Amino acid sequence: MVELVIFVLLGTGAIAGALSVIFAKNPVYAAMGLLGTLFSLGVFYVVNLGHLIAAVQVIVYAGAVLTLFLFVIMMIGVDRVEDTSETIRYQRQLVIGLAAILGVTIAALVIGGEFAWVPLAVDGPIPNGTVENIAGIMFTDWLLPFEVTALLLTIGAAGAIALAYYAPGTSVEDAE
Amino acid sequence: MIEVTAGWYLSLAAVLFSIGLLGILVRRNALIMFMCVELMLNAVNLTFVAAGRALGNLEGQVAVFFVLVVAAAEVVVGLAIIVAIFRRRESASVDELATLRG
Amino acid sequence: MTDFVWLVIAFPLAGAVLLHFLGRRLGEPLAGIIGTLAAAAAFVVAFVAALPFIVEEGNHGETVMLWEWMPAIGANLEITWDPLAAVMALIVTGVGSLIHLFSVGYMHGDERFARFFTYLNLFLASMLTLVLGGNFAMVFLGWELVGLCSYLLISFWYTKPSAAAAGKKAFVVNRIGDFGFMVGLMLVFTNFGTLAFDGIFERVPEILDGSTATAIGLLFLVGAAGKSAQIPLYVWLPDAMEGPTPVSALIHAATMVTAGVYLVARSATIFAAGDAGIVVAVVGALTALWAASIAIAQSDIKRVLAYSTVSQLGYMFIAVGLGGYIAGIFHLMTHAFFKALLFLGSGSVIHGMHEEQDMNKMGGLLEKMPVTGVTMGIATLAIAGIPPLAGFWSKDEILGVAFEYGGVGIVLWVIGLVTALITAFYMTRQWFMVFTGEPRWEEGVDPHESPRSMTVPLIVLAVLSVGAGFLNTPFRLTLEHFLEPSFELVKVAHPPEGLGMFALLAAISVGAGIAGAAMAGFVYSRPREIWERFQGGFGGLWEAWQAAYRVDDLYGATIVTPGRKLSERMAFDFDAGGIDGFVNGVGRAVRSAGARTRVLQTGLVRNYGVGFVAGLLAVVIWLVIAGGGV
């Protein structure tokens, strides 16, 4: 019962946040909408026993990634209101067509019960996504991917610095 | 009593994913497009978590962990690119980046 | 042991290399002397190496392996040193040395003096590769190299358009022959699996059937006809006289043109196994008569000799075609002496007359150039077949072989006799036109005898022209015994036995020779009006001879012009229109397809995104419908 209430409330919130991302004229509102969606998802993770990743979701996404987005938005200009009219010919019509097909497909899948194929209950204890349990898997079976992603992060950081940096006193053209 | 099953979460994830997908097609602001990508990634994360719970193992949550890391790296690099482009063009519109037109 | 025989090739080759790099610095006459010494050294080595054949009766010689090049197909650097090779090597180096010596005087003052000797030495090395090679690969190598040298030397004065054209003509015509030779070699290889002489000639009877042997023989004949200037490929040789006269003497009279005769003699077993021999003989006889008749009416001193060479090569072909290999080689040798002498003599005349070659503008030169006149007279008598000079013995042996063959041989014998008469006529005509009668020199020409370096070779060759015949008289068959080990595998044809028969045949041929010589002497020792009346008596025939039967025009109309037209059509119509059109059409098609589809490449990411999502959706729907559940 509690889960149903949570699902309805936060699910509606998540969808509303997602819609505000694509409809907001000001990027700041879009970022706020995204924040709402991410937070809702964090709660869903908890409901689904993913305690660690729920925490990570809030810290990394809401804390770090969105902050980064906001930085860039401020840098580019928070006050510029975007023209949302379409300039590419037929783009909007095509997208509406695709959206219709997509909606029909998902509706068909949901109504047809395709998403209900898995039983929620399993035999035996339901694993709990605590730090201890996650680490137990991550540092045994998933150690190599873990190391590789660490490397990926390092490279990403170095690449971002190389892309964004240019020496003071030089023009943009010189930097390129 | 209606019970919330994994299918519910999967349906919600499908809707969120679709919204992100369509957002990429309709918005021309690179930042918003990026947010849409994040939206889609998170929709997929939700399916991982829900399916992991339904199947009774933690592998789904581990996958989410990796997606988070990769997404973080992607955001860092992607935002750096946007900043670099913005410095040059004073615009974040992807429509103006059409010099590869045939 | 004759392991050192490779030096025969090495000396001229080293000379060529040395002169090529240092010739200009060495200058005149040092470059010429070095070239001559290289040739003479080769002669000495060849002579020493040939001694065992003289001392030991029936010495087969040996195969000297120098370097294994491609053993799998029998193509190695190896030398077959047998009596036949020895005779050829001695002729090539002997006559070659004398002509080198002659050239030192003849080429005096030429600005490419050293280069001339480079080519001459290279030619000697190539020719020796041809005759000493122990497999067909080396023979072919030498065959092509002498062709190259011939081309280089014919067009030595390349600034003269006629010389350049003559060189080109020789090259092209020779290629036609080379093609036949090459196909013949392929046939040999498919049948024997090797190109080495050792693996071929002994196994001919067990491997070749008659028709294959005939086919190989005919293909070899095509090659030989190209190199040895036989019908129908003889047309290059008269034009080759554009080169310096020593070149004509060495390459286009004494040595290279005999390569075809050598090839037939070397491949005797193959010819003996099939029926190609008689074709060789018939081609030779027709060429002998045909070329001799053309020689009658030529007025250019070197052209007379050129057609005479073609005609004499025809004699050799008669001999080797009918199986008289030794008679053919014998004539090859004597001809090398007297024809080299004639050419060098004419060179001496041309040199003394300031590059004048028209016999109508000579006359009365005997007083001015006694040595040249006398030696050329000896050569004229030798080629006319007057006993006891060399030409008599060798020509008579060939005629005897033809007579003994019977049947077709009798016809060939008659043709040979007629040719002998004509030969005596035109050679005597030449001698009288050049050396007797009133001087008809152009103004300012002051004839003079040539220097010692030119007359000495003339004298040596004159002695050889007189004496070489005694090497192989019916009374004392020295050369025959010498060469016999090389022809053990085949039955060598001989003239009729018995002294009576010999005397009869000799009387007939000598009669023909004397008749021809006397007729010419009678007419051409008198004033010019008499000649003209005599020549007018032949009517149109004389003009036909003078124009060499217009064979060049015939070839031009039937082969060269259509060939050129075809080439032009291929180049400008088929290639430019067809091939290029196809390639360009492909390019145009790609370009127009690109022009139509380029609108899809808008450069707009979101446009691409629509396509991407559409495809994604299609796959999802397909999975749902056809996949039976997700």
Side-chain angles (χ1 to χ4, degrees):
Chain A
M1 186 65 201
V2 178
E3 192 178 352
L4 181 63
V5 173
I6 293 174
F7 182 83
V8 171
L9 283 180
L10 291 181
T12 313
I15 290 173
L19 288 174
S20 80
V21 170
I22 66 169
F23 287 117
K25 291 196 177 187
N26 192 320
V28 179
Y29 295 139
M32 289 303 117
L34 184 61
L35 177 64
T37 306
L38 296 178
F39 182 75
S40 307
L41 288 184
V43 176
F44 285 143
Y45 293 167
V46 176
V47 173
N48 285 292
L49 306 177
H51 306 296
L52 173 66
I53 56 168
V56 173
Q57 169 91 353
V58 173
I59 294 168
V60 172
Y61 262 116
V65 171
L66 266 178
T67 312
L68 208 54
F69 266 111
L70 283 172
F71 273 149
V72 176
I73 290 167
M74 298 304 169
M75 198 175 137
I76 287 174
V78 70
D79 51 343
R80 68 173 71 191
V81 173
E82 220 178 311
D83 176 19
T84 49
S85 67
E86 188 55 61
T87 51
I88 304 175
R89 271 214 296 176
Y90 304 129
Q91 175 81 2
R92 189 144 290 176
Q93 288 91 323
L94 284 170
V95 172
I96 290 170
L98 282 176
I101 297 171
L102 196 56
V104 170
T105 309
I106 291 172
L109 287 172
V110 171
I111 294 166
E114 296 283 359
F115 286 154
W117 97 109
V118 271
L120 193 56
V122 290
D123 294 334
I126 295 172
N128 211 334
T130 60
V131 178
E132 187 183 357
N133 288 342
I134 293 284
I137 294 178
M138 181 102 71
F139 297 119
T140 53
D141 295 347
W142 297 86
L143 185 60
L144 180 66
F146 180 79
E147 299 289 351
V148 173
T149 37
L151 187 65
L152 181 75
L153 265 181
T154 314
I155 294 171
I161 292 170
L163 276 168
Y165 175 82
Y166 68 97
T170 56
S171 71
V172 177
E173 282 74 18
D174 292 341
E176 286 167 9
Chain B
M1 191 63 235
I2 301 171
E3 196 183 349
V4 180
T5 65
W8 291 49
Y9 292 108
L10 294 188
S11 304
L12 177 63
V15 172
L16 289 176
F17 186 89
S18 302
I19 292 171
L21 193 64
L22 295 173
I24 285 180
L25 297 184
V26 294
R27 296 302 295 263
R28 73 170 80 90
N29 186 327
L31 276 166
I32 307 282
M33 289 171 81
F34 236 116
M35 293 182 202
C36 291
V37 171
E38 297 302 323
L39 206 53
M40 289 158 75
L41 285 171
N42 276 284
V44 174
N45 280 352
L46 183 59
T47 65
F48 273 128
V49 174
R53 178 186 173 206
L55 294 171
N57 65 36
L58 285 173
E59 243 80 20
Q61 297 189 17
V62 173
V64 171
F65 189 85
F66 286 122
V67 172
L68 276 173
V69 176
V70 174
E74 174 232 344
V75 164
V76 169
V77 176
L79 287 178
I81 291 172
I82 288 171
V83 168
I85 290 173
F86 180 78
R87 274 199 193 129
R88 187 159 180 76
R89 296 203 173 241
E90 294 291 324
S91 160
S93 165
V94 293
D95 285 1
E96 288 175 23
L97 304 173
T99 46
L100 283 178
R101 179 171 44 234
Chain C
M1 293 313 287
T2 47
D3 288 344
F4 58 90
V5 75
W6 60 274
L7 285 169
V8 177
I9 301 176
F11 271 120
L13 190 62
V17 172
L18 181 73
L19 290 175
H20 178 78
F21 289 109
L22 294 177
R24 195 174 282 270
R25 197 168 303 165
L26 291 171
E28 191 188 338
L30 195 55
I33 291 170
I34 288 174
T36 310
L37 285 178
F43 176 75
V44 172
V45 174
F47 186 77
V48 173
L51 283 177
F53 301 130
I54 300 171
V55 181
E56 282 174 61
E57 192 88 359
N59 187 336
H60 289 264
E62 58 182 334
T63 302
V64 183
M65 177 74 75
L66 302 177
W67 182 52
E68 290 205 346
W69 181 24
M70 291 186 277
I73 63 167
N76 303 308
L77 289 188
E78 58 184 329
I79 288 175
T80 291
W81 184 248
D82 68 345
L84 176 60
V87 168
M88 294 301 294
L90 286 171
I91 295 171
V92 171
T93 54
V95 177
S97 304
L98 292 172
I99 292 171
H100 272 72
L101 180 60
F102 181 89
S103 305
V104 174
Y106 187 86
M107 296 304 287
H108 170 73
D110 195 285
E111 60 181 36
R112 294 167 74 226
F113 183 85
R115 180 50 51 90
F116 183 78
F117 284 93
T118 311
Y119 289 161
L120 277 192
N121 270 350
L122 181 63
F123 167 75
L124 275 192
S126 313
M127 187 70 198
L128 289 165
T129 308
L130 198 168
V131 298
L132 296 185
N135 52 58
F136 277 118
M138 269 187 85
V139 170
F140 189 72
L141 181 71
W143 190 271
E144 294 295 331
L145 281 174
V146 293
L148 170 72
C149 294
S150 164
Y151 165 77
L152 289 172
L153 285 164
I154 291 171
S155 46
F156 185 72
W157 288 316
Y158 54 80
T159 48
K160 208 163 63 170
S162 59
K168 197 165 66 180
K169 184 173 178 181
F171 206 81
V172 171
V173 175
N174 264 302
R175 300 254 27 114
I176 298 170
D178 294 346
F179 179 72
F181 185 28
M182 203 144 65
V183 176
L185 287 184
M186 291 171 190
L187 214 48
V188 167
F189 184 74
T190 46
N191 280 292
F192 292 94
T194 179
L195 291 172
F197 291 161
D198 288 344
I200 293 175
F201 297 136
E202 284 164 13
R203 287 160 52 208
V204 166
E206 57 177 294
I207 288 185
L208 284 189
D209 54 28
S211 52
T212 316
T214 307
I216 295 174
L218 289 177
L219 287 165
F220 278 13
L221 171 62
V222 174
K227 201 59 81 189
S228 288
Q230 298 295 295
I231 287 176
L233 300 176
Y234 69 91
V235 289
W236 65 272
L237 187 60
D239 285 13
M241 299 304 135
E242 289 291 342
T245 307
V247 170
S248 308
L250 177 61
I251 300 182
H252 306 118
T255 57
M256 185 190 84
V257 288
T258 60
V261 180
Y262 167 78
L263 178 67
V264 177
R266 178 57 87 188
S267 320
T269 49
I270 295 176
F271 282 89
D275 303 320
I278 190 69
V279 183
V280 173
V282 170
V283 167
L286 291 177
T287 309
L289 183 61
W290 180 268
S293 66
I294 295 172
I296 294 174
Q298 298 301 310
S299 59
D300 184 308
I301 185 169
K302 284 177 75 180
R303 277 188 174 260
V304 175
L305 296 175
Y307 281 110
S308 166
T309 304
V310 175
S311 172
Q312 295 297 314
L313 288 166
Y315 269 113
M316 298 174 210
F317 269 60
I318 297 176
V320 293
L322 295 178
Y325 304 108
I326 292 170
I329 298 295
F330 182 35
H331 194 57
L332 188 160
M333 183 179 79
T334 57
H335 174 259
F337 296 147
F338 58 69
K339 186 53 62 69
L341 171 54
L342 284 168
F343 264 112
L344 293 186
S346 75
S348 175
V349 169
I350 293 166
H351 194 68
M353 293 289 291
H354 305 288
E355 309 305 321
E356 180 58 71
Q357 299 195 11
D358 189 348
M359 295 194 295
N360 287 319
K361 294 172 181 167
M362 294 177 184
L365 285 174
L366 191 56
E367 278 177 36
K368 298 276 187 184
M369 310 176 79
V371 179
T372 307
V374 170
T375 52
M376 270 189 90
I378 292 170
T380 302
L381 292 177
I383 195 175
I386 308 297
L389 301 175
F392 163 76
W393 301 108
S394 57
K395 194 184 285 187
D396 247 42
E397 196 174 337
I398 291 175
L399 291 175
V401 166
F403 189 81
E404 177 75 2
Y405 192 81
V408 190
I410 302 292
V411 181
L412 301 183
W413 177 71
V414 172
I415 294 176
L417 272 184
V418 175
T419 306
L421 187 146
I422 299 175
T423 305
F425 178 86
Y426 67 70
M427 289 311 303
T428 313
R429 165 179 177 268
Q430 180 187 45
W431 193 81
F432 275 100
M433 279 180 83
V434 172
F435 290 106
T436 67
E438 291 296 309
R440 301 179 297 276
W441 313 329
E442 295 208 321
E443 271 183 42
V445 173
D446 177 28
H448 56 83
E449 184 58 279
S450 301
R452 188 73 57 83
S453 72
M454 291 167 75
T455 52
V456 167
L458 293 180
I459 294 166
V460 174
L461 284 169
V463 171
L464 286 169
S465 299
V466 174
F470 296 108
L471 277 177
N472 203 38
T473 64
F475 314 105
R476 201 181 138 72
L477 294 165
T478 315
L479 185 71
E480 171 115 17
H481 292 310
F482 184 81
L483 279 173
E484 249 166 7
S486 286
F487 296 105
E488 272 180 339
L489 296 168
V490 288
K491 196 176 144 304
V492 177
H494 290 102
E497 298 277 333
L499 215 56
M501 211 48 201
F502 164 75
L504 180 65
L505 291 176
I508 296 173
S509 70
V510 170
I514 290 179
M519 208 190 309
F522 181 73
V523 175
Y524 287 93
S525 60
R526 296 175 181 219
R528 198 168 179 172
E529 294 73 42
I530 308 278
W531 316 350
E532 274 159 11
R533 202 177 318 150
F534 173 78
Q535 291 169 5
F538 287 97
L541 209 49
W542 188 271
E543 280 157 29
W545 292 338
Q546 222 165 9
Y549 297 116
R550 303 204 169 280
V551 171
D552 277 344
D553 294 347
L554 179 71
Y555 284 179
T558 55
I559 297 168
V560 179
T561 311
R564 176 170 299 166
K565 283 228 177 80
L566 182 67
S567 305
E568 280 168 3
R569 294 290 288 278
M570 293 300 266
F572 300 124
D573 296 343
F574 182 65
D575 188 55
I579 306 277
D580 286 5
F582 175 72
V583 174
N584 289 341
V586 170
R588 261 197 297 277
V590 169
R591 183 185 289 189
S592 72
R596 269 156 225 234
T597 50
R598 63 182 291 183
V599 292
L600 292 176
Q601 293 285 320
T602 56
L604 298 167
V605 180
R606 296 189 295 143
N607 254 351
Y608 303 159
V610 169
F612 173 72
V613 171
L616 181 77
L617 261 178
V619 172
V620 168
I621 292 172
W622 180 74
L623 278 176
V624 169
I625 294 171
V630 180

